[in-house]
Amino acid sequence: MDLGIEEFFPPPECPVFEPTWAEFRDPHGYIAKIRPIAEKSDICKIRPPEDWQPPFAVEVDNFKFTPRIQRLNELEAQTRVKLNYLDRIAKFWEFQGSSLKIPNVERKILDLYSLNKIVMEEGGYAAVCRDRRWAQVAQRLNFPPGKNIGSLLRSHYERIIYPYEMFQSGVSLVCNTHQVDSEEKDKEYRPHSIPLRQSVKPSKFSSYSRRGKRLQPDVSASFFECKKPPEAFGFEQATQEYTLQSFGEMADSFKANYFNMPVHMVPTELVEKEFWRLLSSVEKDVTVEYGADIHYKEFGSGFPVSSSKGNLSSEEEEYATSGWNLNVMPMLDQSVLCHINADISGMKVPWLYVGMVFSAFCWHIEDHWSYSINYLHWGEPKTWYGVPSLAAEHLEQVMKRLTPELFDSQPDLLHQLVTLMNPNTLMAHGVPVVRTNQCAGEFVITFPRAYHSGFNQGYNFAEAVNFCTADWLPAGRQCIEHYRQLQRYCVFSHEELICKMAAFPEKLDLNLARAVHKEMFIMVQEERRLRKALLEKGITEAEREAFELLPDDERQCIKCKTTCFLSALACYDCPDSLVCLSHISDLCKCSRSRQYLRYRYTLDELPIMLHKLKIRAESFDSWADKVRVALEVENGQKCSFEELRALESEAHEKRFPTSELLQRLKNCLDEAEACITQVLGLVSGQEARIETPQLTLAELHVLLEQMDSLPCAVNEIGIVKDILEQVEAYQAEAREALASQPPILGLLRSLLKRGQQLGVEVPEAHQLQQQVEQARWLDEVKQAVAPSAQRGSLVIMQGLFVMGAKLASSPSVDKACAELQELLTIAERWEEKAHFCLEASQKYQPATLETIIREAENPVHLPNIEALKEVLTKAQAWIADVDEIQNGDHYPCLDDLEGLVAIGRDLPVNLEELRQLEQLVLLAHSWRKKASKTFLKKNSCYTLLEVLCPCADMSSDSTRRNQWTDKELRLCQSDTELLGLSAQDLRDPGFVTVAFKMGEQKEKEGILQLRNNNSAKPGRLASSTTASSATSVCLCGQVPAGVGTVQCDLCQHWFHGQCVPVPRLLSSLRASSTSSPLLAWWEWNTKFLCPLCMRSRRPRLETVLALLIALQRLPVWLPEGEALQCLTERAIVWQGRARQALASENVTTLLGRLSEVRQQLQAEHRFKESPMHPLVPTAEPVKEVNGKYIPKVQKLPKNRDNMTSPEKVALAQGSRKTVHPDLRLLSSLLPQLTGPILELPEEIRAPLEELMLEGDLLEVTLDENNSIWQLLQAGQPPDLKRIHTLLEVEKIEHQGSLIRVQTLQKQQQQQQKVNLDRKSQHLVQEERESKKPRCSRIKPE
């Protein structure tokens, strides 16, 4: 006996096909093409082209179904036999008041069924014990020898099985429930009660078929629809309803938990082996759920379906009409099922399948042995197993032989789709099995009577349907006979299907008509035989019955359950019963006289239907004879083109299959149509006078020969012959014209035009074209080189030469080409020379260029020579401009020189004057640069000319400030423009001088008005911080108020001390080593001019005079030089006036008094003090001068300014104070400063203040200005507020310097640390390198 297979070995793979797009367009044609290969296994897989990807059309949100429950170990036939046996033993022990516990032997559960069966095969319990064959029993159970397992098996047998066997034989005995030593390892068995769940018999109105739908009457066209699939025989229905999402979550969770890994990482081989292991396991009760046989009517198909609503997209419409759509395939013309009006669920109407891992479909064949096709829309693969139809009976025999217990109680077990058997078991008994993994997007097709089964690898969605082709009809008839023997209900009547197709033979495909004719003939012969036998029985009564109008259950044979259509035997006394004519003896016991025949067609009507089928089936042969006679012209007379076209139309109308003869006919028609189209195009071209030839003369002859060789007569052949005659006449005329000398150009052109309108390319026309082109070209050359003609360009001449080279050779053409070539050679040589002069780095003298231009006279227009002429003209004009400037009355302006230099540099001519001009421009720029460096501040927003000119618009403070801001942004116009000077005026010294003088007066008037306006504004202690016309506004845009503001001494405008550059007290006080600056506060540098007033560095007058001397040696006129001359004159005039004022008697007296005070301060401080000045200064009154006491204060150290930078840094590093000690010292002296030192009368003060005002307007530094400033300062009290502001600003700047120094120090320390680390690493690396073996440094030679 077979004890099961421990390890699963996958069967071989089934054929896999990958059709091309051309093959894929015809589903039934492709299946017929692959049938010879696929029939060997009767199952195959088809992979559609990659681009064929139908959209999933199911309404996912509304899709709800109730799956079936599958207990895996109950599916396998041999395992089910074992479970049934264990159930019976368990029931026996339950009656004895105990439970069945299955022992473990050698770490695996003991197979009690196999143990009992082997013992029975060995002669029974008594014989095995008597002959001591328990070791042999253990060996047959595959237990290892030598472990005394036989005695252990005997004890288990005596304890568990033997009491049950005795009970079955009727012997009563006391049961021993004592367990052996291994009792703690025994597993309690839970009965499965399989017979109770599978003993429900189907109702009268159901069938064993999984198709619940049978053929219905045509008139009603109604069918039974189930919202839920009927509960399959042997399977329980689940209690929970699922959606696709909830079922998928359950399925994925189950698989992931079972295999302890993500679902997509579980190998298919592992799932397959585990599936068959679970099916053969008695103790592993794994349950899964399978949504099988779900009707598509409620939720829709997975494929798009065409509907009357017409709301499909173009892509969906394409797939909705595809032959591979499972809703379309059964209804194709080549399909038999399209002739059944009723919708048969699962056969004509697809069923849907939602699977999870291990969910299975059992061994079965399709209803009526039809084809099946399954498409996996998405999800994990589906594993299939298939057995070819030739081995179908062998499979049934093997399963019955291995599990007779199942088939004894259920003979039709394989029709219930509830039984599996391991493919390895079947293969071990000679049954051929193949397998395949169907992935998403693939089809699996099973052929007639091919047993198949399988299981799902995981969560997926599939769709399946049946279809029948012409080759299925014999198998369908055999299936009905098979069903009759099994007394199994039919899904539809095979006889009705055949008769319905025979009733309309013109609608049948040719191949289908042939197959139906063969089946109809067999069916008519059988019907005649049966009706004859009926007559022999004495039954003569008969009546016609429209069986197709009756429900199936009212026309089924009570004996074999087949559905009757052609005839049936009925009884008047037993109206509820009828039988087919094969079982007339099983109807009833009534008299034969009460029995009568119910028939659909008479025996005379059936041959008529058969004859119509024959005509349809043989129509192709008669048509083929006609085509063969027409194509081979057997009678010597060609048929017309229209007759051939009629034969093709007949083939299309009668739907003849594609054949070699039909293809020959189509090729012949295509060839004839091509010839006719070519002739019509030729004629239309002649009528439209199209000059482009349609055909060559040789092609015209070929066309004529082709039309002669056609098997049909074409009327257009006469047109071709006429055109050929025209061509021959034209050739004769052309030859005559070409032979005439000299050639007549007008005649040649006329003939050429006629030839172009023929529509045929004639060789003579080409010769005519050549002669016409030669004559035209010679005329163009003659006109181009004629002396009176306008010179042509070099490109035109080159084009003529190229055209001449392409012409056919002739003496006149060759001569003209030679002349053109010589002319072009000379012209190109001069062009090259001119190009060299224009592009070469070495420039030539104008005289050299004149010589080249004069010698390059040519009848050809040369672009480079023309460019050279233009360059020479520009050079001569430039030389004239230089002479005019140099010989003028004034020095040339710098702008003019720069323009001439720029033009001269761009000219490709050697100009001697250019170098002199470049030198002058260089000197002028050097002077301007030196003057700019002297006057302009760093990053100044002013130009040199703006600084040298007076500021003409100074009357408005807001205007000045806006102009200064705009100059910073480069948005404002220059001061020269404000003076009214244009760019042309700047070239005239007179305009500049006059404008300067007028600007001086405007500047003075403007500053006086500005001072008056600013003096009237609120002071710096005003509380308002909002800018308005009545308040001063700093450069930052804010109102300067409170402490920290400073007032300009010229414009009287207030500014923030931190927004403008202010005087530095420390630097100014240390500058003098001969006085006591801390006491002479009137000499402190507290004078402040704002950036709007002090626009330049204000160099000393001596420096300005040196610039003027250098300017006088420069033979170039600059507007800045003229402005500097005016500024110098203005400064010298002011200096004279200042010296005159200072030399007056009153002022000289005041200066003397001021000198005496300074001398007294110097004398007091000659006494030696301590070298370290005290932190708190001491002050003593020394002498009263003009009633004022001058305090005595210790001097500031003078050597700090002489410190080097490192010393200053060290001082900053060592100091922890944020305020400089000198600044603290000066701050402490502020309360002790007194004044005024002098008393200045108004008659002296007013002129000095006016001089001071004019001097401050000068952009030149003069000593007299400082003297007047000190005198005016000494004549008023010290401005303590300004001094305090200046000290505060300097303190803030000093603190910022300390922070920057400390930051720089930290950065230097960090950099030094990094450098030290790098150096140490480098030393360590060198040390490591030095320790390496010396040999490692030796390089191989």
Side-chain angles (χ1 to χ4, degrees):
M1 64 166 293
D2 188 2
L3 297 178
I5 298 176
E6 294 294 333
E7 185 177 358
F8 180 78
F9 296 96
E13 294 290 325
C14 75
V16 180
F17 300 97
E18 296 182 356
T20 63
W21 267 113
E23 296 172 329
F24 194 71
R25 290 188 181 94
D26 181 12
H28 286 287
Y30 183 70
I31 293 172
K33 180 179 180 180
I34 66 175
R35 184 180 296 116
I37 299 176
E39 275 182 340
K40 295 178 182 179
S41 60
D42 275 339
I43 183 173
C44 68
K45 182 169 67 175
I46 295 179
R47 291 195 184 104
E50 292 184 0
D51 296 339
W52 197 83
Q53 297 177 355
F56 187 61
V58 167
E59 298 179 5
V60 178
D61 296 335
N62 299 328
F63 193 93
K64 296 181 180 180
F65 63 98
T66 304
R68 297 169 180 170
I69 298 175
Q70 292 182 335
R71 294 174 175 85
L72 297 185
N73 57 2
E74 296 179 4
L75 297 179
E76 213 279 331
Q78 293 175 296
T79 309
R80 190 188 306 163
V81 171
K82 296 178 182 179
L83 292 175
N84 289 338
Y85 178 73
L86 293 176
D87 281 357
R88 293 195 297 270
I89 297 181
K91 193 67 175 177
F92 165 75
W93 284 110
E94 184 180 352
F95 289 153
Q96 305 301 322
S98 179
S99 61
L100 173 62
K101 293 185 178 179
I102 303 177
N104 284 326
V105 179
E106 288 296 312
R107 297 182 180 178
K108 67 179 181 179
I109 191 169
L110 179 59
D111 189 351
L112 297 178
Y113 172 79
S114 299
L115 174 61
N116 177 60
K117 194 162 188 177
I118 292 175
V119 170
M120 292 297 104
E121 290 175 357
E122 292 290 335
Y125 171 74
V128 173
C129 290
R130 183 180 61 251
D131 299 336
R132 298 182 179 179
R133 292 201 299 269
W134 286 106
Q136 185 176 349
V137 172
Q139 187 175 358
R140 290 187 62 181
L141 285 172
N142 296 327
F143 286 111
K147 292 189 176 182
N148 198 22
I149 296 177
S151 60
L152 184 60
L153 294 178
R154 175 179 177 177
S155 63
H156 289 318
Y157 188 90
E158 292 175 347
R159 180 174 56 88
I160 301 174
I161 300 176
Y162 186 68
Y164 171 69
E165 297 294 339
M166 292 297 99
F167 171 78
Q168 282 188 322
S169 62
V171 178
S172 60
L173 68 150
V174 179
C175 299
N176 179 20
T177 59
H178 176 68
Q179 303 293 323
V180 296
D181 295 340
S182 60
E183 180 182 0
E184 67 277 7
K185 298 181 181 179
D186 294 352
K187 179 178 180 181
E188 185 172 352
Y189 177 75
R190 181 178 60 84
H192 289 68
S193 302
I194 299 175
L196 294 178
R197 293 200 309 274
Q198 296 187 347
S199 61
V200 181
K201 295 297 181 181
S203 67
K204 176 182 178 181
F205 301 102
S206 66
S207 88
Y208 290 103
S209 168
R210 58 195 179 103
R211 319 294 191 211
K213 185 65 183 151
R214 293 179 295 280
L215 194 59
Q216 297 295 327
D218 294 343
V219 292
S220 63
S222 62
F223 54 88
F224 177 74
E225 291 184 324
C226 298
K227 289 189 176 180
K228 296 180 181 178
E231 184 172 342
F233 186 58
F235 286 123
E236 299 174 72
Q237 206 73 7
T239 57
Q240 179 180 355
E241 188 178 55
Y242 288 95
T243 63
L244 278 178
Q245 180 179 356
S246 61
F247 188 84
E249 292 172 353
M250 180 275 295
D252 288 342
S253 176
F254 175 86
K255 183 176 180 180
N257 294 334
Y258 188 91
F259 291 99
N260 196 24
M261 65 178 73
V263 293
H264 63 279
M265 296 182 64
V266 183
T268 57
E269 298 83 359
L270 176 61
V271 178
E272 186 174 24
K273 290 183 179 181
E274 183 64 16
F275 173 76
W276 290 110
R277 188 189 72 82
L278 291 175
L279 258 65
S280 63
S281 173
V282 175
E283 69 275 15
K284 293 290 185 180
D285 294 329
V286 177
T287 301
V288 294
E289 299 180 17
Y290 191 17
D293 297 348
I294 302 174
H295 203 291
Y296 98 101
K297 284 292 184 179
E298 184 174 358
F299 310 110
S301 169
F303 291 95
V305 179
S306 299
S307 62
S308 58
K309 299 179 180 179
N311 54 356
L312 298 181
S313 64
S314 58
E315 179 187 8
E316 291 174 335
E317 190 65 35
E318 176 185 354
Y319 287 104
T321 57
S322 172
W324 292 94
N325 185 326
L326 299 195
N327 301 278
V328 178
M329 179 171 278
M331 306 305 295
L332 295 175
D333 291 342
Q334 301 92 331
S335 175
V336 174
L337 296 182
C338 69
H339 299 280
I340 300 177
N341 292 339
D343 289 336
I344 306 174
S345 298
M347 290 199 74
K348 284 185 62 177
V349 178
W351 269 351
L352 310 177
Y353 298 85
V354 185
M356 64 177 291
V357 68
F358 299 145
S359 59
F361 50 101
C362 300
W363 285 112
H364 68 283
I365 50 180
E366 299 300 322
D367 291 335
H368 288 255
W369 296 356
S370 61
Y371 286 83
S372 76
I373 181 168
N374 185 293
Y375 181 74
L376 189 61
H377 284 280
W378 47 259
E380 299 191 61
K382 186 187 294 285
T383 301
W384 291 72
Y385 303 98
V387 175
S389 60
L390 295 176
E393 294 183 359
H394 189 190
L395 178 140
E396 295 169 358
Q397 294 170 2
V398 170
M399 293 186 69
K400 290 178 181 179
R401 185 171 68 251
L402 294 180
T403 57
E405 299 89 342
L406 299 180
F407 286 90
D408 289 344
S409 60
Q410 296 173 324
D412 59 347
L413 181 63
L414 287 177
H415 296 288
Q416 299 175 17
L417 283 80
V418 294
T419 305
L420 279 169
M421 183 169 282
N422 196 310
N424 289 169
T425 303
L426 297 173
M427 294 167 66
H429 289 82
V431 179
V433 183
V434 295
R435 72 173 300 281
T436 190
N437 283 331
Q438 178 191 16
C439 298
E442 295 179 344
F443 290 96
V444 168
I445 296 179
T446 64
F447 286 70
R449 207 186 182 186
Y451 269 101
H452 52 278
S453 64
F455 68 93
N456 296 294
Q457 293 275 345
Y459 178 47
N460 57 25
F461 190 101
E463 188 169 354
V465 78
N466 293 106
F467 66 95
C468 299
T469 57
D471 64 282
W472 163 84
L473 289 174
R477 174 169 41 83
Q478 296 172 13
C479 179
I480 296 300
E481 294 299 323
H482 184 72
Y483 284 178
R484 181 175 286 146
Q485 295 173 9
L486 295 176
Q487 299 181 6
R488 183 172 182 232
Y489 292 94
C490 300
V491 178
F492 58 86
S493 172
H494 190 78
E495 293 175 349
E496 181 182 354
L497 176 62
I498 296 297
C499 291
K500 188 171 183 179
M501 290 189 290
F504 303 97
E506 66 278 359
K507 295 182 179 180
L508 299 180
D509 178 77
L510 189 61
N511 292 330
L512 184 56
R514 289 177 176 174
V516 172
H517 177 262
K518 292 179 182 179
E519 289 299 309
M520 185 75 176
F521 180 80
I522 296 172
M523 190 173 66
V524 170
Q525 295 299 323
E526 180 66 15
E527 185 66 18
R528 282 177 176 171
R529 185 186 66 79
L530 293 174
R531 290 190 187 185
K532 182 179 179 182
L534 194 64
L535 286 173
E536 292 175 353
K537 294 288 186 179
I539 300 174
T540 57
E541 294 292 328
E543 65 179 42
R544 186 184 292 273
E545 180 71 63
F547 284 100
E548 67 271 16
L549 301 181
L550 298 177
D552 285 2
D553 53 359
E554 294 183 10
R555 54 175 173 143
Q556 289 171 346
C557 175
I558 61 175
K559 176 63 177 177
C560 64
K561 310 304 180 185
T562 190
T563 304
C564 299
F565 178 75
L566 282 179
S567 60
L569 184 64
C571 180
Y572 293 113
D573 297 332
C574 305
D576 295 334
S577 302
L578 60 79
V579 292
C580 64
L581 297 189
S582 298
H583 299 97
I584 57 177
S585 301
D586 299 315
L587 177 58
C588 62
K589 301 298 182 180
C590 299
S591 172
R592 294 293 184 182
S593 61
R594 301 301 297 168
Q595 297 177 349
Y596 66 98
L597 174 67
R598 298 169 66 180
Y599 65 92
R600 180 63 181 87
Y601 300 104
T602 66
L603 290 178
D604 294 332
E605 293 173 340
L606 290 175
I608 296 174
M609 298 172 61
L610 189 62
H611 180 67
K612 292 180 180 179
L613 274 174
K614 183 178 181 181
I615 293 175
R616 170 61 179 163
E618 295 178 354
S619 61
F620 178 79
D621 295 334
S622 60
W623 173 86
D625 291 338
K626 295 178 185 178
V627 174
R628 195 175 293 107
V629 170
L631 294 180
E632 295 178 1
V633 196
E634 294 180 355
N635 55 7
Q637 185 177 0
K638 292 183 178 181
C639 63
S640 66
F641 175 77
E642 291 74 14
E643 291 174 341
L644 285 184
R645 178 65 72 191
L647 288 173
E648 185 194 25
S649 301
E650 182 183 356
H652 179 71
E653 292 172 0
K654 294 183 178 181
R655 296 185 296 178
F656 290 157
T658 303
S659 61
E660 182 182 358
L661 191 62
L662 179 59
Q663 191 61 43
R664 282 179 57 194
L665 177 60
K666 290 183 177 180
N667 294 340
C668 177
L669 289 173
D670 291 343
E671 186 178 359
E673 283 185 345
C675 293
I676 294 173
T677 303
Q678 203 168 9
V679 173
L680 294 178
L682 191 60
V683 173
S684 62
Q686 286 183 339
E687 294 176 352
R689 298 184 177 275
I690 297 175
E691 298 184 355
T692 303
Q694 303 286 332
L695 297 172
T696 64
L697 185 58
E699 290 173 345
L700 185 63
H701 284 289
V702 170
L703 177 61
L704 183 60
E705 293 174 0
Q706 186 179 3
M707 297 179 73
D708 279 334
S709 63
L710 287 174
C712 61
V714 181
N715 298 329
E716 287 77 6
I717 192 171
I719 300 175
V720 177
K721 292 180 179 179
D722 293 342
I723 294 176
L724 189 58
E725 290 178 359
Q726 296 176 13
V727 170
E728 291 174 350
Y730 172 79
Q731 283 181 302
E733 294 182 25
R735 291 191 190 100
E736 184 179 354
L738 290 171
S740 62
Q741 291 294 334
I744 304 172
L745 185 59
L747 178 60
L748 294 178
R749 288 180 176 175
S750 175
L751 286 173
L752 180 62
K753 187 173 182 180
R754 281 180 51 199
Q756 291 173 344
Q757 295 175 354
L758 282 175
V760 180
E761 186 177 341
V762 184
E764 288 76 10
H766 181 63
Q767 298 176 14
L768 290 173
Q769 180 71 28
Q770 288 182 350
Q771 286 203 6
V772 170
E773 290 177 353
Q774 289 175 355
R776 186 186 301 115
W777 181 80
L778 289 172
D779 185 56
E780 291 179 1
V781 172
K782 184 178 180 180
Q783 293 179 4
V785 298
S788 60
Q790 185 178 0
R791 291 193 304 166
S793 67
L794 182 61
V795 176
I796 294 176
M797 293 298 182
Q798 290 173 343
L800 284 174
F801 180 76
V802 172
M803 289 174 57
K806 293 179 180 179
L807 295 175
S809 178
S810 69
S812 55
V813 171
D814 294 343
K815 181 179 178 182
C817 282
E819 293 176 355
L820 269 179
Q821 186 174 10
E822 182 180 1
L823 183 63
L824 288 174
T825 302
I826 296 173
E828 288 173 355
R829 186 182 303 118
W830 283 114
E831 271 290 271
E832 183 179 355
K833 194 169 185 179
H835 178 75
F836 180 78
C837 292
L838 292 172
E839 301 295 334
S841 58
Q842 180 182 359
K843 298 182 179 181
Y844 293 89
Q845 296 288 340
T848 304
L849 300 184
E850 289 178 358
T851 303
I852 293 174
I853 292 171
R854 185 172 58 255
E855 293 178 356
E857 290 298 329
N858 198 290
V860 182
H861 178 78
L862 303 178
N864 288 341
I865 292 296
E866 294 299 323
L868 198 61
K869 288 181 181 179
E870 184 178 356
V871 166
L872 181 60
T873 302
K874 292 180 179 179
Q876 292 171 348
W878 186 85
I879 293 173
D881 291 341
V882 171
D883 293 340
E884 181 180 357
I885 289 177
Q886 290 180 344
N887 297 329
D889 297 334
H890 303 286
Y891 284 150
C893 181
L894 178 60
D895 292 343
D896 295 338
L897 292 181
E898 287 178 338
L900 287 173
V901 167
I903 295 173
R905 286 174 178 173
D906 292 339
L907 292 176
V909 184
N910 186 2
L911 302 172
E912 296 179 355
E913 296 83 355
L914 180 60
R915 189 173 302 173
Q916 300 175 5
L917 294 183
E918 288 176 342
Q919 189 65 27
L920 287 178
V921 170
L922 184 63
L923 292 174
H925 280 289
S926 177
W927 183 88
R928 180 186 283 173
K929 182 177 180 181
K930 185 176 181 181
S932 299
K933 188 176 182 180
T934 302
F935 277 91
L936 298 183
K937 300 177 182 179
K938 187 178 181 181
N939 299 325
S940 174
C941 60
Y942 298 99
T943 64
L944 177 61
L945 186 58
E946 290 172 347
V947 167
L948 298 178
C949 293
C951 186
D953 191 4
M954 295 189 66
S955 59
S956 173
D957 178 65
S958 60
T959 302
R960 286 204 319 149
R961 186 175 63 256
N962 293 336
Q963 288 179 358
W964 185 85
T965 304
D966 292 342
K967 284 181 180 296
E968 288 285 342
L969 300 176
R970 303 298 192 265
L971 299 176
C972 183
Q973 57 184 346
S974 62
D975 289 341
T976 56
E977 294 176 354
L978 295 175
L979 291 174
L981 293 176
S982 63
Q984 185 62 33
D985 294 339
L986 291 175
R987 300 174 182 272
D988 191 343
F991 277 107
V992 175
T993 303
V994 173
F996 193 93
K997 296 300 182 183
M998 293 176 63
E1000 290 180 12
Q1001 186 62 29
K1002 291 181 180 180
E1003 184 181 38
K1004 184 175 180 180
E1005 294 173 357
I1007 196 65
L1008 289 175
Q1009 182 179 354
L1010 181 62
R1011 287 169 63 91
N1012 293 333
N1013 294 339
N1014 289 338
S1015 299
K1017 293 179 181 180
R1020 67 172 181 172
L1021 296 179
S1023 59
S1024 176
T1025 58
T1026 303
S1028 64
S1029 59
T1031 57
S1032 297
V1033 179
C1034 182
L1035 296 178
C1036 63
Q1038 303 296 326
V1039 176
V1043 182
T1045 58
V1046 61
Q1047 187 180 27
C1048 177
D1049 290 313
L1050 180 58
C1051 66
Q1052 300 296 312
H1053 190 79
W1054 288 93
F1055 299 89
H1056 293 115
Q1058 296 180 356
C1059 294
V1060 293
V1062 296
R1064 300 293 182 263
L1065 291 180
L1066 287 180
S1067 58
S1068 63
L1069 294 178
R1070 294 179 189 139
S1072 175
S1073 59
T1074 59
S1075 64
S1076 180
L1078 291 181
L1079 297 178
W1081 53 268
W1082 58 90
E1083 294 182 356
W1084 291 7
N1085 184 20
T1086 59
K1087 185 177 182 180
F1088 167 66
L1089 297 181
C1090 67
L1092 304 179
C1093 296
M1094 187 174 178
R1095 297 176 295 164
S1096 70
R1097 295 178 181 272
R1098 296 202 174 185
R1100 296 183 62 81
L1101 182 61
E1102 294 81 1
T1103 305
V1104 176
L1105 292 175
L1107 285 174
L1108 281 178
I1109 293 172
L1111 179 64
Q1112 291 176 357
R1113 294 196 295 268
L1114 187 65
V1116 180
W1117 186 85
L1118 290 90
E1120 292 86 354
E1122 194 68 28
L1124 183 64
Q1125 180 71 31
C1126 294
L1127 176 61
T1128 305
E1129 292 176 358
R1130 180 183 178 186
I1132 292 175
V1133 170
W1134 183 88
Q1135 187 181 41
R1137 290 172 54 203
R1139 287 179 178 177
Q1140 183 179 0
L1142 292 173
S1144 64
E1145 181 179 358
N1146 296 332
V1147 175
T1148 303
T1149 303
L1150 294 174
L1151 291 175
R1153 294 178 184 174
L1154 197 61
S1155 178
E1156 290 177 3
V1157 174
R1158 184 182 298 108
Q1159 290 175 2
Q1160 289 178 3
L1161 293 175
Q1162 289 176 353
E1164 292 296 334
H1165 285 279
R1166 286 174 183 171
F1167 297 103
K1168 297 297 181 180
E1169 298 287 340
S1170 174
M1172 297 297 293
H1173 62 277
L1175 294 177
V1176 180
T1178 58
E1180 299 177 0
V1182 290
K1183 187 177 181 180
E1184 184 179 356
V1185 180
N1186 296 331
K1188 304 294 180 182
Y1189 288 96
I1190 304 302
K1192 174 183 176 184
V1193 183
Q1194 190 172 355
K1195 290 179 59 179
L1196 289 172
K1198 294 184 293 182
N1199 59 344
R1200 187 169 296 180
D1201 282 339
N1202 297 326
M1203 291 182 181
T1204 62
S1205 296
E1207 291 173 341
K1208 291 181 180 180
V1209 173
L1211 179 62
Q1213 291 174 349
S1215 176
R1216 291 293 180 262
K1217 299 178 181 179
T1218 58
V1219 180
H1220 198 284
D1222 295 343
L1223 294 175
R1224 289 198 303 271
L1225 178 61
L1226 291 177
S1227 299
S1228 62
L1229 294 178
L1230 294 184
Q1232 304 176 23
L1233 299 181
T1234 59
I1237 304 301
L1238 301 176
E1239 292 183 1
L1240 294 179
E1242 185 63 26
E1243 61 272 12
I1244 296 177
R1245 178 183 297 276
L1248 291 180
E1249 287 181 349
E1250 182 179 0
L1251 278 174
M1252 189 73 237
L1253 174 66
E1254 295 180 7
D1256 286 342
L1257 291 175
L1258 293 173
E1259 295 296 336
V1260 180
T1261 299
L1262 297 171
D1263 293 337
E1264 290 78 6
N1265 188 301
N1266 190 37
S1267 300
I1268 296 175
W1269 162 257
Q1270 292 181 4
L1271 190 61
L1272 291 173
Q1273 285 292 99
Q1276 60 186 5
D1279 193 350
L1280 298 180
K1281 294 181 180 179
R1282 173 178 289 193
I1283 296 175
H1284 178 73
T1285 298
L1286 295 179
L1287 289 176
E1288 290 298 323
V1289 173
E1290 197 157 359
K1291 287 178 183 179
I1292 294 173
E1293 292 183 355
H1294 178 68
Q1295 292 173 358
S1297 300
L1298 286 177
I1299 294 174
R1300 287 193 295 271
V1301 169
Q1302 293 173 0
T1303 303
L1304 180 60
Q1305 176 191 8
K1306 291 180 180 179
Q1307 292 177 352
Q1308 291 176 350
Q1309 291 176 353
Q1310 292 176 356
Q1311 186 63 35
Q1312 290 176 359
K1313 184 177 180 181
V1314 171
N1315 294 337
L1316 184 61
D1317 292 343
R1318 290 179 179 175
K1319 185 174 181 181
S1320 62
Q1321 292 177 0
H1322 183 66
L1323 293 175
V1324 171
Q1325 186 66 24
E1326 288 183 350
E1327 184 177 359
R1328 290 178 180 176
E1329 292 292 333
S1330 63
K1331 292 180 180 180
K1332 288 184 179 181
R1334 180 180 296 272
C1335 58
S1336 63
R1337 304 176 187 173
I1338 301 175
K1339 297 181 180 180
E1341 296 182 359

